[in-house]
Amino acid sequence: MAVGCVIELAARVASRELQNGFAVVRPPGHHAEESTAMGFCFFNSIAITAKYLRDKLNIGKILIVDLDVHHGNGTQQAFYADPSILYVSLHRYDEGNFFPGSGAPNEVGSGPGEGYNINIAWTGGLDPPMGDVEYLTAFRTVIMPAANEFDPEIVLVSAGFDAVEGHDPPLGGYKVTAKCFGHLTKQLLKLAGGRVVLALEGGHDLTAICDASEACINALLGNELEPLPEDIVHQIPNMNAIASLKKTTEIQSKYWKSVEPYSVPVDCALAESQKQEREETETVSAMASLSVDVEQCVPQEGSRAAGEPMEEEPAL
């Protein structure tokens, strides 16, 4: 039933009958492999849905973003050699010591699918735990640039909420706020003409699941989101996150031109980076305006420059 619900919703979004949607289903699916149940997952709803969209509805490019704190080993396996589906996961990895142990940064796909598998593999345990600033930075430096370059026709999201604060260390231990997931969803809505489908994955704290789901649904509905605290905008990601992101950008810059520029300033504060982007935009605008002014000031043939006296017509 879970698989059928996700397929039905995605098909309606793909056909533009619906703009977007959230499938609140159980059990989760992203750990399930082709012939193996795993991690409370029996059938991989997102993977089966992506194959349905690709094979039955002829959707050429599908982006899958996995927000669960655990790596979606089943989804990665399903599309590891498939260039029509870009799989992106950000998850707790800890050098393979956190369940399920897969999802290393150098797992990039194989054959024709090489480069179409992106793992933002957080390492360093919980000292300190990853939070809003780290997830927002990952979106800004890796996920959104690569996604825009890929230019998907639809976005499928494995909406696992076990990275939300409130989960014990063995189940995640991170400190991402529920409202942050709303802001991440809002960013994804900029892709594929807003055709975004979320499917509930992991989460073991009912309050966290409810709050994060509410934030994501508000984003899907276009409602105004509760703003993130001002200090989040000015924070620098923790050192473990910086190391993880540098490793990912170094690897992925070989496949995505848009990721390469972020390999150096990834450890800048969000506010400083945003300021730099604004200054670059203002500089380009100013130069464009100056160019226009110069063109307007160049005297045309038969015209006089400003301040030049008019020639008197000869007296008859």
Side-chain angles (χ1 to χ4, degrees):
M1 184 176 290
V3 176
C5 287
V6 180
I7 289 177
E8 178 71 16
L9 175 59
R12 293 191 179 194
V13 171
S15 65
R16 295 179 170 80
E17 182 181 343
L18 297 174
Q19 179 61 41
N20 55 54
F22 191 156
V24 182
V25 295
R26 278 288 184 259
H30 72 152
H31 292 309
E33 299 182 352
E34 187 174 354
S35 59
T36 306
M38 183 177 177
F40 309 114
C41 302
F42 297 94
F43 297 100
N44 194 323
S45 300
I46 285 289
I48 295 171
T49 297
K51 289 185 177 182
Y52 176 86
L53 295 174
R54 182 194 63 191
D55 299 340
K56 300 298 183 180
L57 299 185
N58 298 316
I59 303 297
K61 292 196 289 186
I62 301 168
L63 169 65
I64 299 177
V65 179
D66 196 327
L67 300 176
D68 197 287
V69 78
H70 304 91
H71 179 244
N73 56 289
T75 310
Q76 173 174 290
Q77 181 193 65
F79 305 113
Y80 206 60
D82 189 343
S84 68
I85 296 176
L86 172 60
Y87 175 67
V88 184
S89 174
L90 63 169
H91 51 273
R92 183 177 170 186
Y93 179 61
D94 294 351
E95 303 301 337
N97 293 310
F98 190 73
F99 180 85
S102 58
N106 60 0
E107 295 172 11
V108 297
S110 64
E114 184 176 349
Y116 292 90
N117 197 88
I118 301 176
N119 285 314
I120 300 171
W122 301 123
T123 193
L126 302 176
D127 186 26
M130 303 301 169
D132 290 2
V133 65
E134 287 73 35
Y135 272 62
L136 290 165
T137 303
F139 260 66
R140 178 175 56 82
T141 59
V142 182
I143 297 176
M144 292 306 295
N148 276 298
E149 187 175 339
F150 180 62
D151 193 21
E153 297 173 48
I154 192 170
V155 180
L156 304 180
V157 182
S158 281
F161 298 132
D162 36 15
V164 177
E165 54 189 353
H167 288 83
D168 293 332
L171 298 175
Y174 282 179
K175 300 296 183 183
V176 184
T177 64
K179 70 177 72 173
C180 182
F181 277 87
H183 287 271
L184 300 181
T185 301
K186 184 177 181 179
Q187 291 191 47
L188 294 176
L189 286 167
K190 298 175 183 177
L191 303 167
R195 289 184 287 279
V196 177
V197 174
L198 279 66
L200 186 61
E201 292 280 4
H204 308 275
D205 181 272
L206 188 57
T207 300
I209 293 174
C210 291
D211 291 348
S213 296
E214 181 182 4
C216 291
I217 291 172
N218 274 320
L220 293 175
L221 291 172
N223 295 337
E224 185 175 352
L225 302 180
E226 183 180 351
L228 294 168
E230 185 66 22
D231 62 325
I232 292 296
V233 180
H234 296 280
Q235 278 186 37
I236 297 174
N238 68 56
M239 295 306 297
N240 290 329
I242 290 172
S244 299
L245 289 169
K246 282 186 173 179
K247 184 176 293 186
T248 298
T249 54
E250 179 183 355
I251 292 170
Q252 291 298 330
S253 64
K254 301 172 185 176
Y255 306 104
W256 303 97
K257 294 179 181 179
S258 57
V259 173
E260 189 171 7
Y262 292 97
S263 58
V264 175
V266 71
D267 52 351
C268 293
L270 286 173
E272 186 62 30
S273 177
Q274 291 169 352
K275 178 184 177 183
Q276 180 178 337
E277 291 174 0
R278 286 197 302 271
E279 289 175 348
E280 290 175 355
T281 301
E282 290 170 358
T283 300
V284 171
S285 299
M287 292 182 68
S289 175
L290 180 61
S291 175
V292 172
D293 290 341
V294 169
E295 290 178 2
Q296 291 176 343
C297 291
V298 173
Q300 300 296 318
E301 187 176 347
S303 64
R304 65 186 180 90
E308 182 180 315
M310 292 180 63
E311 293 184 4
E312 296 183 3
E313 295 185 5
L316 295 177

